[in-house]
Amino acid sequence: MTGTALDMTGPRPNTASPVYAIYGSLDPRALTLAAARESGTIYTQIPTDVLMALETGQPALQKEALTRLRSENGEPLIGAVGFDDWWNTALAALNSNWALARARTLVTDKARLYEALRQRNVAVAPHRTGSLSTRLLRFALDNLGPRPILKPATGAGSRGVYRYRDDLSVEDNLALYQQILRAGHIDTATPIIAAQYLGDHDAAVEISVDLTVCDSRITHAVVHEKCTATAVPPFVDHVMISPPTDLRIDAELPQLPQALAGILAAIGLTDAALHIELRLHLRRWHVLDIGIRPGSGLVAHAALAHTGVDPRMVHLAASIGRPLAPAAVKQARGTHTATAIACCYVAPDRRDDIRLLRHSELADQLCGSDDVLGWHLNAAETEDDLYQPDAGISVGIGAPDMPTALARLRSLVEPFEFTTQTSDDTETVVAQ
């Protein structure tokens, strides 16, 4: 037996495949996943090996995979939904006349997406697309300003996003970025976009918008302020609050509907849930990225709390070609007017003091609190001094106003040695 065979640590099965097969029927008035399940909708996660067979596009492999998914508990397969930016070939095979196909292809080709947005007068960062080389980096430095952003022209999300380091040479930046791409399983031959870093006085003001669209109309737009985003990959947002409290954001929110309308026109969807990342630069909203899907983690829970409509349900219904009833969506009402989502960590010097029973005490408080939208907790114990487990919690809070939400967040996590600071942070982010 080899040494590696003794290693029992590995990725959780199917974590690379957030795609769900949908069976039975769908009530267009169901506005949440729980309501859909109660009305007879069945959704089950599709195994990665089945998705890979579908993703090949080969008829024999696709037929075999579809046969495996044909029914669940005697109910027929009526479609599938994906909650990341990938598996588009598989989803097209799972959904007849898939309405999201064109839009999903567009947003994963950033060069085409940016051009489509510019044609609708939606601002994007000045940029240049080309092969990764010292020539591209020198062009960016000469024409796009200091410390430009580099990202793959294909794909979505923050994988492979890098901000040029001015303390390194062009050659060293190239070598480091190539290694970052390899670590993210991204082909270094992929076309790269070099874009201007958007930040007034080098201070980024960034928001995300979770947009629901029903019958060609924007029904909800939940805006999250990103209180902290690191300057290096993976751009972890420690605290996200809605509505925003930054006065710079508040001053420019009136222009946001026009930008959103332009985005919707460029995307061309009549029913959808969109997750849009924007940055404020020179008092204008610039699009960074668009996902034809809801925001991940607890973002969808926050949107549901604000609106009464789960964007994951909107996305599911649009994916299988059975959109939600516009009247039901319009009549929905939220339960909270303010939300705060935080990614909290145990301070490195306190990890040895935090044990599972301490986490259990916190879990009891979280489970018994009506204002907790949801939470994810990581805990591990080991006597191995070389092993540093991931020790942290993601938690969402709903409240009537933002000061109450942030105060409640602090009161929950701080007694248990959690903080929103990592060892590299220089300032507290919850206090913003």
Side-chain angles (χ1 to χ4, degrees):
M1 183 179 290
T2 65
T4 55
L6 296 173
D7 184 3
M8 299 301 290
T9 300
R12 182 178 179 178
N14 294 317
T15 52
S17 59
V19 179
Y20 292 78
I22 313 300
Y23 299 92
S25 59
L26 182 68
D27 183 349
R29 298 165 298 178
L31 302 182
T32 66
L33 294 175
R37 188 169 58 245
E38 290 172 1
S39 66
T41 304
I42 300 171
Y43 42 90
T44 60
Q45 190 171 14
I46 299 176
T48 304
D49 63 324
V50 176
L51 285 175
M52 288 192 294
L54 293 168
E55 194 73 10
T56 65
Q58 296 296 316
L61 291 172
Q62 288 190 333
K63 182 178 179 180
E64 179 185 45
L66 290 171
T67 298
R68 286 180 60 181
L69 298 173
R70 184 170 295 155
S71 65
E72 175 80 11
N73 297 329
E75 296 289 344
L77 177 71
I78 59 174
V81 58
F83 290 100
D84 66 4
D85 304 296
W86 317 108
W87 305 109
N88 290 328
T89 301
L91 285 163
L94 289 161
N95 295 294
S96 58
N97 301 316
W98 191 34
L100 306 187
R102 176 189 170 277
R104 296 263 293 196
T105 301
L106 175 62
V107 299
T108 52
D109 184 342
K110 288 188 173 68
R112 279 206 308 129
L113 172 63
Y114 289 174
E115 182 56 34
L117 293 172
R118 283 167 48 164
Q119 290 178 3
R120 297 289 180 172
N121 199 33
V122 178
V124 297
H127 62 279
R128 175 74 170 264
T129 305
S131 300
L132 181 58
S133 63
T134 56
R135 181 179 180 180
L136 178 64
L137 298 189
R138 290 195 173 100
F139 175 89
L141 292 172
D142 293 342
N143 296 276
L144 301 174
R147 301 194 65 195
I149 296 292
L150 303 176
K151 52 189 170 184
T154 57
S158 60
R159 284 201 323 156
V161 180
Y162 171 73
R163 189 174 181 198
Y164 189 95
R165 285 180 52 181
D166 55 12
D167 61 322
L168 298 178
S169 68
V170 171
E171 290 76 16
D172 285 346
N173 269 284
L174 176 63
L176 180 57
Y177 186 49
Q178 288 173 328
Q179 203 58 38
I180 289 171
L181 292 175
R182 294 188 188 102
H185 304 289
I186 300 169
D187 191 339
T188 56
T190 300
I192 298 298
I193 292 178
Q196 178 184 345
Y197 174 76
L198 301 178
D200 296 330
H201 307 295
D202 208 43
V205 177
E206 191 169 322
I207 63 172
S208 67
V209 180
D210 277 79
L211 204 67
T212 55
V213 181
C214 289
D215 197 22
S216 299
R217 296 189 178 189
I218 296 174
T219 56
H220 301 99
V222 177
V223 180
H224 276 100
E225 174 187 344
K226 297 184 175 184
C227 293
T228 291
T230 60
V232 294
F235 295 94
V236 173
D237 307 309
H238 296 308
V239 179
M240 296 176 66
I241 61 175
S242 181
T245 60
D246 190 309
L247 295 179
R248 293 167 296 179
I249 295 175
D250 190 60
E252 306 305 335
L253 282 180
Q255 62 162 298
L256 190 57
Q258 182 177 356
L260 297 178
I263 291 169
L264 184 57
I267 297 297
L269 288 174
T270 57
D271 295 274
L274 309 181
H275 182 74
I276 306 167
E277 307 279 346
L278 303 105
R279 184 167 289 181
L280 188 62
H281 180 61
L282 300 177
R283 301 192 63 181
R284 190 178 184 190
W285 293 111
H286 291 66
V287 171
L288 301 179
D289 210 347
I290 299 174
I292 310 299
R293 54 167 177 79
S296 59
L298 294 171
V299 173
H301 295 260
L304 171 59
H306 280 280
T307 67
V309 179
D310 190 338
R312 296 172 299 176
M313 193 64 224
V314 175
H315 180 55
L316 185 157
S319 294
I320 66 174
R322 304 186 184 192
L324 299 184
V329 172
K330 185 177 180 180
Q331 293 169 8
R333 296 293 181 269
T335 55
H336 296 285
T337 55
T339 58
I341 302 171
C343 298
C344 307
Y345 309 88
V346 173
D349 60 346
R350 297 306 307 275
R351 282 191 173 187
D352 290 341
D353 302 327
I354 306 301
R355 296 300 184 207
L356 185 59
L357 288 178
R358 193 82 188 276
H359 283 104
S360 177
E361 184 182 346
L362 172 58
D364 288 342
Q365 291 194 27
L366 294 169
C367 289
S369 302
D370 292 336
D371 57 355
V372 175
L373 307 178
W375 54 279
H376 304 156
L377 179 64
N378 298 316
E381 293 188 30
T382 178
E383 298 302 325
D384 186 348
D385 293 334
L386 299 181
Y387 178 64
Q388 287 288 305
D390 181 14
I393 183 173
S394 297
V395 60
I397 300 294
D401 55 62
M402 193 51 61
T404 302
L406 291 177
R408 174 63 169 150
L409 174 63
R410 292 191 194 96
S411 71
L412 277 171
V413 302
E414 287 180 356
F416 297 91
E417 311 296 338
F418 282 107
T419 175
T420 51
Q421 291 179 282
T422 65
S423 58
D424 296 329
D425 288 331
T426 57
E427 60 183 31
T428 301
V429 294
V430 171
Q432 292 184 359

